[in-house]
């Protein structure tokens, strides 16, 4: 858990005069940004709509101590919003930046595009709301130049998301956002909101392919809808809820016995079968009489000699398949198949797994 906590640490860095430029290092301050707060050095006035409901946290797979806290931007249900309503006023954001050339140029330098392309870039983004506290690199504007600091944005924050599902603009301040930078041993600043925990913060990783449809939760009617990239809600349509993530069940297997006697058989474990010939009767072991293996009860098509017992023989697998709980194994109408697809050579499309994870 300490590894995950260190990776999730957020540090306020690279204000005017700083030389760190957001690179990995030690020290600094954790900066927590409330969903409705403007924050330091805003680029513009707020363009966030405040009439949205409070969405419950996104349902994500359980986290382990070794899992990288990254979530693919194509994950269904990662974002919330109100059907047919944009969480940000995109055109107002365009007007704010177009009216101040110095800020427009600074914004473009962070994104890495020409200043003249900023309006089209903003219109290509999708306005949504975060459903989980999210770590980002935020950029303010001071003394005619962009500043850079690490931040955690509270769930409910209105953002504009790019074609790979990554937040790129915070609408409450007009600040451009970029990928978070790991920092070590930071100090926390700002007032934590109710329910805040560093262990619940995620980093949104770019999806492998372009997101074709965002599957969004609507707290207003406790339903789901699909929003196309770059759309402000005009073409939203109902969507089925995404599949629930798999749960982690406690292991029922017992540790190997260190006794020199025959290992005992757990009541919940299958009793191994034994190979017998003719009219032989299996010898009891541990008070339990094993069953003859099926291959000795009926003619076998195997070419192996029936008198040669196999050390790898075991009971027939009669349990149902357990991989059906995987998020990528849903029905054809599963939201995971609506989100991110890449064209193949034959013109077809392949679904992309809704969750990206790894180990450290």
């Amino acid at each position: 858990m300490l590894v995950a906590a260190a990776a999730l640490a957020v540090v306020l860095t690279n204000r005017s005069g700083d030389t760190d430029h957001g690179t990995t290092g030690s020290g600094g301050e954790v900066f927590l940004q409330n969903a409705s707060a403007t924050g330091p050095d805003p680029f513009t006035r707020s363009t966030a709509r405040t009439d949205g409901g409070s969405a419950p946290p996104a349902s994500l797979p359980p986290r382990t101590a070794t899992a990288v806290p990254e979530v693919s931007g194509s994950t269904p249900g990662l974002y919330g919003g109100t059907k047919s309503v944009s969480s940000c006023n995109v055109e107002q954001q365009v007007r704010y930046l177009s009216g101040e050339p110095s800020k427009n140029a600074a914004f473009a330098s962070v994104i890495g595009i020409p200043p003249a392309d900023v309006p089209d870039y903003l219109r290509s983004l999708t306005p949504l709301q975060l459903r989980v506290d999210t770590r980002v690199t935020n950029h303010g504007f001071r003394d005619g130049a962009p500043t850079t600091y690490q931040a955690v944005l509270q769930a409910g924050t209105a953002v504009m998301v790019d074609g790979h599902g990554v937040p790129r603009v915070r609408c409450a301040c007009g600040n451009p956002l970029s990928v978070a930078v790991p920092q070590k041993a930071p100090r926390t600043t700002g007032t934590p909101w109710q329910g805040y925990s560093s262990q619940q913060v995620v980093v949104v990783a770019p999806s492998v392919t372009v997101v074709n449809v965002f599957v969004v939760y609507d707290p207003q009617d406790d339903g789901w809808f699909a929003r196309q990239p770059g759309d402000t809600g005009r073409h939203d349509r109902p969507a089925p809820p995404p599949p629930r993530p798999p749960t982690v069940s406690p292991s029922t297997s017992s540790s190997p016995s260190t006794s020199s006697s025959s290992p005992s058989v757990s009541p919940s474990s299958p009793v191994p079968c034994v190979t017998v010939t003719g009219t032989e009767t299996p010898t009891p072991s541990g008070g339990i009489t094993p069953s003859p293996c099926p291959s000795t009860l009926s003619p076998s098509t195997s070419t192996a000699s029936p008198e040669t017992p196999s050390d790898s023989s075991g009971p027939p697998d009669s349990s149902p398949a357990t991989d059906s709980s995987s998020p990528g194994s849903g029905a054809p109408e599963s939201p995971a198949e609506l989100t991110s697809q890449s064209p193949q050579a034959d013109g077809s499309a392949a679904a992309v797994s809704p969750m990206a994870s790894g180990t450290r």
Side-chain angles (χ1 to χ4, degrees):
M1 301 300 289
L2 293 178
V3 174
L8 288 173
V10 249
V11 182
L12 183 64
T13 59
N14 192 30
R15 300 180 70 86
S16 284
D18 290 345
T19 58
D20 184 37
H21 298 288
T23 56
T24 302
S26 61
E29 295 177 320
V30 176
F31 192 78
L32 306 179
Q33 288 198 277
N34 185 281
S36 58
T38 300
D41 305 330
F43 263 74
T44 67
R45 286 176 285 173
S46 176
T47 60
R49 300 186 187 275
T50 58
D51 54 353
S54 178
S59 180
L60 301 174
R63 179 176 304 176
T64 66
T66 58
V68 176
E70 291 187 346
V71 180
S72 172
S74 64
T75 302
L78 178 62
Y79 294 105
T82 302
K83 186 175 179 293
S84 302
V85 176
S86 175
S87 61
C88 309
N89 189 328
V90 178
E91 292 305 317
Q92 184 66 63
Q93 189 67 55
V94 171
R95 287 193 292 271
Y96 280 156
L97 289 176
S98 298
E100 299 192 54
S102 61
K103 289 185 175 180
N104 188 78
F107 185 98
S109 69
V110 173
I111 301 301
I113 59 176
D117 291 347
V118 170
D120 288 340
Y121 174 78
L122 291 173
R123 293 182 180 116
S124 73
L125 304 179
T126 308
L128 297 166
Q129 287 182 325
L130 300 176
R131 290 188 63 208
V132 61
D133 296 344
T134 303
R135 180 185 158 210
V136 298
T137 296
N138 204 337
H139 302 269
F141 182 83
R142 175 189 283 187
D143 300 330
T147 63
T148 301
Y149 58 95
Q150 299 299 303
V152 169
L153 306 184
Q154 183 187 12
T157 298
V159 293
M160 298 184 196
V161 179
D162 70 10
H164 290 270
V166 179
R168 292 303 182 184
V169 178
R170 183 172 182 263
C171 301
C173 53
N175 290 1
L177 305 175
S178 55
V179 178
V181 176
Q183 297 287 344
K184 300 177 182 178
R187 299 185 303 274
T188 301
T189 61
T191 303
W193 42 87
Q194 184 177 6
Y196 169 77
S197 169
S198 62
Q199 297 304 310
Q200 299 302 316
V201 178
V202 303
V203 174
V204 178
S207 64
V208 178
T209 58
V210 173
V211 180
N212 292 327
V213 174
F214 291 98
V215 178
V216 186
Y217 175 75
D218 186 351
Q220 298 285 6
D221 60 6
D222 190 25
W224 298 85
F225 64 89
R227 176 169 292 178
Q228 298 176 6
D231 188 25
T232 57
R234 296 181 59 187
H235 303 95
D236 290 349
R237 66 180 189 274
R244 297 184 63 85
T247 57
V248 178
S249 302
S251 175
T252 57
S253 60
S254 57
S255 301
S257 172
T258 58
S259 171
S260 59
S261 60
S262 299
S264 60
V265 180
S266 170
S268 61
S269 302
V271 179
C273 67
V274 296
T275 302
V276 298
T277 59
T279 58
E280 291 182 359
T281 302
T283 303
S285 175
I288 300 177
T289 300
S291 302
C293 291
S295 61
T296 65
L297 298 179
S298 59
S300 173
T301 58
S302 172
T303 58
S305 173
E307 296 182 3
T308 304
S310 174
D311 293 335
S312 61
S313 62
D317 185 6
S318 59
S319 59
T322 58
D323 60 353
S324 60
S325 60
S326 172
S329 61
E333 295 183 359
S334 168
E337 298 184 8
L338 294 175
T339 54
S340 179
Q341 296 182 335
S342 58
Q344 306 299 313
D346 59 358
S348 61
V352 174
S353 173
M355 173 60 66
S357 63
T359 57
R360 216 174 262 287

